[in-house]
Amino acid sequence: MHHALVLVGPRGVGKATFARGLGCALLCPQRPGLGCGACPTCQRVLAGNHPDVDWLVPDSKAGLISVDAARACHVRQTHALYEGRAYLVVVDPADALGEAAGNALLKTIEEPRPGVHFALLTTNLQGVLPTILSRSLPVRLGRLDDDIVRSIVDARAADAPRERHDMAVLLAEGSAGVALELASDPSLARSLELVKQAITAVRAGPPAIFGGDNHPLWQAWATATAPSEAVPEDSPAEAEPEAPGAKKKKTSKKAAKAGDDGDKPASKKDAPALQRAAVRRLVELWILHVREQLRGRPGLPGLPPPADVAPGTLVAAITALQRLGARVERMGNVRLMLEQGLLEQSALLSGT
């Protein structure tokens, strides 16, 4: 086996799980080369407290691996092996290694001590330093089959509603980590209701789109954009146990004070960001709904059935939704951009 593997693949497909499995395979006394997952050695590897598996993770405010951490890792591996037959360094993510930190590990990766292995995890191969990449073997991890993702979600998010399981698998597109995030996200139901009301309003035309705040569309909008205690959607990429040594994000004192901005309530300060997030999710769900229809399927559960239009119109609808997603990132008035996007969808359906 090559001593330095770069595990590259989309977020949530199991790169960190692969690294833990590799640690078991290298160290397990019961099933050498495979790992049993059950013996004390494997259990310690999986729990992140085996001395022969070293996790190198970002430790600076900039989200990078510091030079000091890289040097300390170099020193530790010079004294390995500690207990087992091998020593594994997991760098997660590899693109968090800046030039200085990468140089501190370069000699180690190029000519490691006997029994020392590296697993460098990344979603972006271009972000890995060329000097390290040239001394490593890339291993590409693709997206998982939906059946595998569903089995993982069923096992690890058993308390979530069944319909949310199905939706999470559809949205995750082969990423078990993303599916677990979605299955545990209570805001998904609010987003689906917004998409449902948006499609209904589009089919009814401008009177529904401009129906006022009491119209079901804009009531769903108010609910979807309301501040929530739910975990933010841009939470950690891999929905797996945290890498040992990873620092938890701290909430600043300033952020902890609700409304600590003169007389401006926290909800108003956050409104544009919440609105953009709501439109992002609406666009994502709506596009997936239309794509399912293009495949001859009924679309997402709970949403209106397919409209009786030509495939070319559905493709144009996807393009218009993509434009809407791009506009809300640039423009200040998110609701105005959403109204414009809904009018475009209505015009496409009516052929005007």
Side-chain angles (χ1 to χ4, degrees), residues 35-54:
C36 69
C39 70
T41 297
C42 285
Q43 289 295 304
R44 291 170 67 196
V45 170
L46 296 174
N49 55 22
H50 195 289
D52 284 314
V53 180
D54 187 6

Side-chain angles (χ1 to χ4, degrees), residues 22 26-27 63 94 173 216 234 253 287 330:
L22 179 59
L26 289 170
L27 294 166
E173 296 184 337
D234 57 348
K253 293 181 180 179
I287 287 178
R330 301 192 306 267

Side-chain angles (χ1 to χ4, degrees), residues 145-229:
D145 291 338
D146 283 353
D147 290 343
I148 296 175
V149 174
R150 183 173 283 103
S151 67
I152 293 172
V153 173
D154 289 346
R156 295 180 55 182
D159 294 338
R162 176 57 50 186
E163 59 272 16
R164 202 188 294 168
H165 282 209
D166 297 336
M167 185 67 64
V169 173
L170 280 172
L171 291 172
E173 296 184 337
S175 170
V178 172
L180 287 169
E181 290 176 5
L182 292 170
S184 303
D185 183 1
S187 70
L188 186 57
R190 299 194 293 270
S191 298
L192 279 171
E193 179 62 21
L194 177 59
V195 178
K196 175 182 175 181
Q197 295 301 334
I199 294 174
T200 302
V202 160
R203 293 179 180 180
I209 295 172
F210 297 104
D213 290 343
N214 291 327
H215 190 276
L217 167 63
W218 298 110
Q219 289 181 342
W221 167 255
T223 301
T225 58
S228 173
E229 297 299 324

Side-chain angles (χ1 to χ4, degrees), residues 82-348:
Y82 292 97
E83 291 184 8
R85 301 174 294 106
Y87 185 82
L88 176 65
V89 178
V90 183
V91 185
D92 184 17
D95 41 288
L97 276 174
E99 187 171 354
N103 288 336
L105 282 179
L106 188 59
K107 189 67 175 177
T108 303
I109 294 176
E110 186 175 25
E111 297 178 359
R113 290 164 50 84
V116 174
H117 300 266
F118 284 83
L120 301 103
L121 282 50
T122 183
T123 59
N124 175 26
L125 203 59
Q126 286 70 36
V128 181
L129 291 171
T131 50
I132 290 180
L133 194 58
S134 65
R135 292 159 173 81
S136 308
L137 176 67
V139 177
R140 298 183 182 276
L141 304 182
R143 298 190 182 276
L144 306 172
D145 291 338
D146 283 353
D147 290 343
I148 296 175
V149 174
R150 183 173 283 103
S151 67
I152 293 172
V153 173
D154 289 346
R156 295 180 55 182
D159 294 338
R162 176 57 50 186
E163 59 272 16
R164 202 188 294 168
H165 282 209
D166 297 336
M167 185 67 64
V169 173
L170 280 172
L171 291 172
E173 296 184 337
S175 170
V178 172
L180 287 169
E181 290 176 5
L182 292 170
S184 303
D185 183 1
S187 70
L188 186 57
R190 299 194 293 270
S191 298
L192 279 171
E193 179 62 21
L194 177 59
V195 178
K196 175 182 175 181
Q197 295 301 334
I199 294 174
T200 302
V202 160
R203 293 179 180 180
I209 295 172
F210 297 104
D213 290 343
N214 291 327
H215 190 276
L217 167 63
W218 298 110
Q219 289 181 342
W221 167 255
T223 301
T225 58
S228 173
E229 297 299 324
V231 177
E233 292 177 357
D234 57 348
S235 54
E238 300 276 350
E240 304 174 14
E242 291 186 357
K247 289 189 175 181
K248 293 184 178 179
K249 291 184 179 180
K250 295 181 179 179
T251 303
S252 65
K253 293 181 180 179
K254 185 176 180 180
K257 294 181 180 178
D260 190 16
D261 186 20
D263 297 326
K264 196 174 185 181
S267 59
K268 289 187 178 180
K269 287 194 302 176
D270 297 339
L274 291 169
Q275 290 175 357
R276 286 188 175 86
V279 174
R280 283 190 213 107
R281 179 63 70 84
L282 176 141
V283 167
E284 177 187 23
L285 292 170
W286 200 339
I287 287 178
L288 182 58
H289 184 55
V290 177
R291 283 177 176 166
E292 288 291 293
Q293 295 171 19
L294 281 169
R295 295 176 179 132
R297 301 169 185 168
L300 300 185
L303 297 188
D308 187 17
V309 296
T313 302
L314 294 178
V315 173
I318 291 176
T319 303
L321 287 168
Q322 290 170 335
R323 286 199 300 268
L324 169 60
R327 280 201 302 266
V328 297
E329 299 299 334
R330 301 192 306 267
M331 305 299 181
N333 193 326
V334 180
R335 176 164 170 169
L336 180 63
M337 293 300 100
L338 176 57
E339 289 172 342
Q340 181 180 339
L342 296 178
L343 285 173
E344 290 181 15
Q345 293 292 321
S346 183
L348 284 170

